[in-house]
Amino acid sequence: MAPAQPPARRPALLGCGLLAMLVLTLPGCGGEGTAAPQSAAAQQPKAKKETTSNPAGVGGGCPRQVDAFVDSLDSLRRQLAVGLSYEQYSAAVDDLHVSYDEIPIDRLAIDCLAATGTPSEQALNKHIDAVNAWGECLADTSCTTASIEPILQRKWRIASHLLSEAD
């Protein structure tokens, strides 16, 4: 189970004008008005999960690393509701990718993989797809906020749904 490649880095000067426009207009992405409404349960912070003392998750349950990874995905979901710049979002996805790489996937119990590992990995992949799409838009002078926002919203909505499956 390998996630998509980490987001590609773009030179800082590409699309500076568009970046400034996106930073000013996309902070509300994921918030009220443009995103599909979330249930009250999805909007409330998650209670801390009980973790297993079994570091690899052998014999059932998930290790703390998996729970921490899912909690980090949930934190990103909440940050998107408030708004992030491309740089903030890209850095958060990079951090998630590093956390994912540290999980001993080959030693996880099948229950953990099926219930939590697979949906959380797919959520990470959607975030990687979104950061790449946003970066490509920034590099394309013909790309507009109006054209990229629905794409990002869709990817974020799918990632949120997958994360809900992992919780």
Side-chain angles (χ1 to χ4, degrees), residues 99-110:
S99 296
Y100 173 85
D101 285 342
E102 294 173 351
I103 296 171
I105 294 170
D106 58 336
R107 297 187 321 206
L108 295 180
I110 193 71

Side-chain angles (χ1 to χ4, degrees), residues 4 11 23 39 42 52 54 80 90 108 113 135 155 157:
V23 169
S39 68
T52 178
N54 185 350
L80 283 170
S90 179
L108 295 180
L113 282 172
K155 291 179 186 300
R157 197 169 32 255

Side-chain angles (χ1 to χ4, degrees), residues 36-57:
Q38 291 182 333
S39 68
Q43 291 176 351
Q44 294 178 2
K46 301 282 184 209
K48 188 71 177 166
K49 292 181 183 180
E50 220 176 281
T51 58
T52 178
S53 60
N54 185 350

